[in-house]
Amino acid sequence: MNLFSKFLSRLSEALIGFFDVFFSRLQGLIGLKNMAYIFVLPNLLIFSVFILLPVFLNFYISFTGGTNILPQDRLFVGLSNYQQIFDCDDFFKTSTCSEDIFWRAVANTAKFSIFQVSLMVLFSVMTALVLNSKVGARAFFRSVFFYPVLLSPVVVALVWRWILQRNGLLNAILMDLGLDRIVWLSESNWAFFWIIFITIWAHMGFYTLILLAGLQAIPASLYEASNIDGASRWQAFWHITLPMLMPTMLVVLILSLIRAVQTFDEVFIFTRGGPGSATTLMVQYIYETGLADLATRRFGLASAASVILGIALLIFTLIQLSLGRNSENTSG
């Protein structure tokens, strides 16, 4: 054991010496200021290969057709995929569209994002306020609320599917209470309600943690001054907590909106987009159009849909950032 420890010690010293000589000579060649680019270069390469390149490749594929996978083997069709998506007599009646499932998915995603993000932010703020107060076993409750975040989305969906299936735990409890059994996953309204509930339950702890950090960053002297001035708890919350927490809430709003629009795992495992297409969201449509149906392989149409989704996310994010800056300028 001592020999092994000495070997590791000498090996680490040799490696440190090698890199010290290497980076010293490299610094002498390119200068101290340019050394930052050397350390950033690996991350830039990984980002370019796994993020930028797929984005540009996806954008190109959206202008192509056919069932071939390799870009050089695909037929350039111009805006045909986008024209097929936007071929609608009435955008508010999905049945009049060539890609009616796409527009149903758009409507579902919009409704899901509005309700899920609003409730997510509301419950996260309420939970963070409670956990930031002087309550017993505060550390325990913080870990309890964060625990679902650590679970795999597939595990979350399977557990809740087991609870809510026809012969599941929840129906067993209802029947023990003398109530009728409810087929939760076969009724569109109930299925939509539960995908919102499950995603909030699974991810609320993450946003609560961010908001809790924002609450703890507010100086305690502000609350002490408000107490001296005779302000109530509601007045302290409205005039101190809420304005000071707004930048953190903006971050939570942006992150939760991006996650909501990109939701796939939990919903796909939980309902498979059903009943019918009642819970089909945008990412599931892209997956099923481009990958699930290997017989048609409509890669171009799926890529066009993903480009539209990406542009929508970019617009919403810019709007939220603009509103956040305007509110900061107004308060300042």
Side-chain angles (χ1 to χ4, degrees):
M1 191 67 182
N2 292 332
L3 292 176
F4 183 70
S5 300
K6 290 180 180 179
F7 171 76
L8 289 179
S9 177
R10 291 181 180 179
L11 180 61
S12 61
E13 290 177 359
L15 289 175
I16 292 172
F18 169 77
F19 284 114
D20 183 49
V21 173
F22 174 78
F23 284 112
S24 296
R25 292 183 179 180
L26 184 62
Q27 180 177 324
L29 290 174
I30 65 175
L32 179 60
K33 293 183 179 180
N34 294 325
M35 283 298 293
Y37 297 103
I38 298 298
F39 292 107
V40 173
L41 184 61
N43 285 333
L44 288 178
L45 290 175
I46 293 174
F47 179 80
S48 300
V49 172
F50 294 102
I51 302 295
L52 286 181
L53 181 60
V55 167
F56 288 119
L57 186 61
N58 179 76
F59 185 72
Y60 169 75
I61 291 177
S62 69
F63 296 100
T64 63
T67 58
N68 295 319
I69 296 178
L70 297 178
Q72 63 269 23
D73 297 332
R74 297 185 59 79
L75 178 66
F76 185 80
V77 296
L79 297 174
S80 297
N81 293 316
Y82 294 94
Q83 290 173 351
Q84 183 175 348
I85 289 176
F86 287 99
D87 182 18
C88 283
D89 295 332
D90 186 352
F91 288 99
F92 294 99
K93 296 180 180 179
T94 57
S95 59
T96 64
C97 302
S98 298
E99 288 297 320
D100 56 329
I101 302 299
F102 171 83
W103 291 105
R104 182 64 185 273
V106 170
N108 289 340
T109 303
K111 183 169 68 171
F112 174 81
S113 300
I114 291 172
F115 285 103
Q116 199 256 13
V117 172
S118 301
L119 294 173
M120 178 84 78
V121 175
L122 176 62
F123 291 143
S124 297
V125 171
M126 292 171 60
T127 307
L129 288 171
V130 172
L131 295 178
N132 192 51
S133 61
K134 296 180 180 180
V135 295
R138 184 168 56 179
F140 169 75
F141 286 111
R142 287 179 182 177
S143 61
V144 167
F145 277 99
F146 188 74
Y147 177 73
V149 180
L150 303 177
L151 298 176
S152 166
V154 176
V155 172
V156 170
L158 289 176
V159 168
W160 280 100
R161 186 176 180 87
W162 172 73
I163 294 173
L164 297 169
Q165 62 185 347
R166 181 179 178 84
N167 297 318
L169 178 63
L170 185 55
N171 273 326
I173 295 173
L174 292 177
M175 294 178 68
D176 288 340
L177 295 175
L179 302 175
D180 294 332
R181 179 184 308 181
I182 300 175
V183 186
W184 305 104
L185 305 183
S186 297
E187 298 182 10
S188 57
N189 291 332
W190 276 119
F192 206 89
F193 165 80
W194 282 113
I195 65 171
I196 293 175
F197 176 86
I198 290 169
T199 51
I200 291 175
W201 178 85
H203 303 292
M204 188 183 73
F206 173 72
Y207 304 109
T208 300
L209 194 65
I210 296 176
L211 291 167
L212 188 60
L215 287 172
Q216 293 178 347
I218 300 175
S221 58
L222 296 177
Y223 295 106
E224 294 173 359
S226 67
N227 288 331
I228 295 174
D229 292 338
S232 63
R233 287 187 176 182
W234 171 252
Q235 290 174 328
F237 171 78
W238 188 257
H239 295 288
I240 298 176
T241 305
L242 195 59
M244 297 291 289
L245 197 62
M246 283 303 296
T248 308
M249 289 181 62
L250 178 62
V251 172
V252 168
L253 187 63
I254 294 174
L255 292 177
S256 59
L257 178 62
I258 293 174
R259 182 184 286 273
V261 174
Q262 294 178 333
T263 297
F264 171 72
D265 309 64
E266 294 98 338
V267 177
F268 183 73
I269 299 297
F270 184 65
T271 63
R272 296 280 177 174
S277 58
T279 58
T280 299
L281 303 182
M282 281 284 292
V283 178
Q284 182 177 343
Y285 168 83
I286 295 169
Y287 164 75
E288 292 182 344
T289 301
L291 298 175
D293 192 353
L294 297 178
T296 56
R297 289 184 177 179
R298 298 190 296 173
F299 298 132
L301 194 64
S303 296
S306 65
V307 169
I308 294 171
L309 177 62
I311 293 173
L313 274 176
L314 178 62
I315 292 173
F316 288 141
T317 303
L318 292 176
I319 291 174
Q320 288 179 340
L321 289 174
S322 177
L323 293 175
R325 289 172 184 171
N326 291 336
S327 64
E328 288 179 4
N329 293 335
T330 302
S331 60

